[in-house]
Amino acid sequence: MKVSIIKYNAGNVYSVECALRRLGVTPVVSDSPDVLSQSDKVLFPGVGEASSAMKYLQEHGLDRVIVDLTQPVLAICIGLQLLCKHSEEGDVDTLGIFDTAVRRFVPEDTEQKIPHMGWNALTCLKGPLFAGIPEGSYAYFVHSYYAPVSAFSVAECNYVIPFSAALNKGNFYATQFHVEKSGTVGMRILENFLSL
């Protein structure tokens, strides 16, 4: 099985690569359209800022490559946000796989710190990504922006308001939390993705 990680100017590639290696998979890190399109599975991780990430994707033609992928794709953190249609972060149009806009958390009181950082419970779990994962399992989040709950939501989390912890449309899967930093839950999700 050929597994690729999309190389672009958003960090966190190394930790995803290490998580895959722990599962016995040696991924290729690439920004080559040919490599990505010929892979069996593609991961789209990231830590960064939406408008600068989109600028890089567009300058390197990766925006067109990503939306044309037909194999299973797993986007993580900012990867999820870039698969939506618009982000308030930098007021930028994004890739549009999910017809929903990414918004900034607006805290209701001083107890609600932004970014949302740390472990939080996953609820309303649906679909193959969450096979074998109990309702209420914890995952690790670091983010200031979120995708609202929508028809694409396959997991939810509650911080300030309920939001999408994971999305799915066709071959595109996405988690707002960091699967590679979410312990046994995250590793099971990666295993589930690799078996799609």
Side-chain angles (χ1 to χ4, degrees):
M1 179 168 56
K2 185 176 179 182
V3 177
S4 293
I5 300 174
I6 298 172
K7 178 183 176 183
Y8 70 116
N9 72 332
N12 212 43
V13 167
Y14 180 71
S15 58
V16 173
E17 186 177 355
C18 289
L20 288 169
R21 287 181 187 276
R22 288 196 295 274
L23 293 173
V25 174
T26 302
V28 175
V29 179
S30 180
D31 59 3
S32 161
D34 287 342
V35 169
L36 296 175
S37 62
Q38 292 168 18
S39 297
D40 299 306
K41 304 284 191 304
V42 176
L43 289 97
F44 182 29
V47 173
E49 190 271 332
S51 60
S52 59
M54 272 306 299
K55 183 179 179 186
Y56 184 95
L57 293 176
Q58 290 163 344
E59 287 173 347
H60 293 79
L62 291 170
D63 55 331
R64 296 185 300 277
V65 172
I66 292 167
V67 298
D68 287 340
L69 293 173
T70 57
Q71 65 274 68
V73 176
L74 177 61
I76 301 167
C77 196
I78 198 172
L80 173 147
Q81 297 177 11
L82 294 174
L83 289 185
C84 295
K85 68 178 181 181
H86 186 85
S87 177
E88 287 185 355
E89 185 177 29
D91 188 26
V92 63
D93 288 334
T94 43
L95 297 171
I97 298 295
F98 302 114
D99 187 18
T100 188
V102 171
R103 301 182 180 134
R104 181 172 174 81
F105 280 120
V106 179
E108 296 172 350
D109 57 55
T110 56
E111 297 298 309
Q112 296 172 331
K113 304 297 183 189
I114 306 300
H116 170 213
M117 184 181 297
W119 296 86
N120 212 328
L122 303 175
T123 60
C124 305
L125 306 180
K126 295 184 283 192
L129 214 56
F130 297 98
I133 296 174
E135 188 82 4
S137 293
Y138 277 72
Y140 187 78
F141 292 83
V142 183
H143 62 124
S144 300
Y145 294 81
Y146 69 94
V149 173
S150 69
F152 306 110
S153 301
V154 290
E156 296 178 23
C157 182
N158 195 331
Y159 187 80
V160 181
I161 61 166
F163 66 89
S164 292
L167 301 171
N168 173 228
K169 179 183 178 184
N171 60 305
F172 288 92
Y173 299 82
T175 65
Q176 181 59 66
F177 56 92
H178 287 276
V179 290
E180 76 284 2
K181 296 179 181 177
S182 294
T184 55
V185 168
M187 295 304 280
R188 178 60 189 266
I189 290 169
L190 277 176
E191 287 179 323
N192 289 342
F193 171 70
L194 293 172
S195 67
L196 291 173

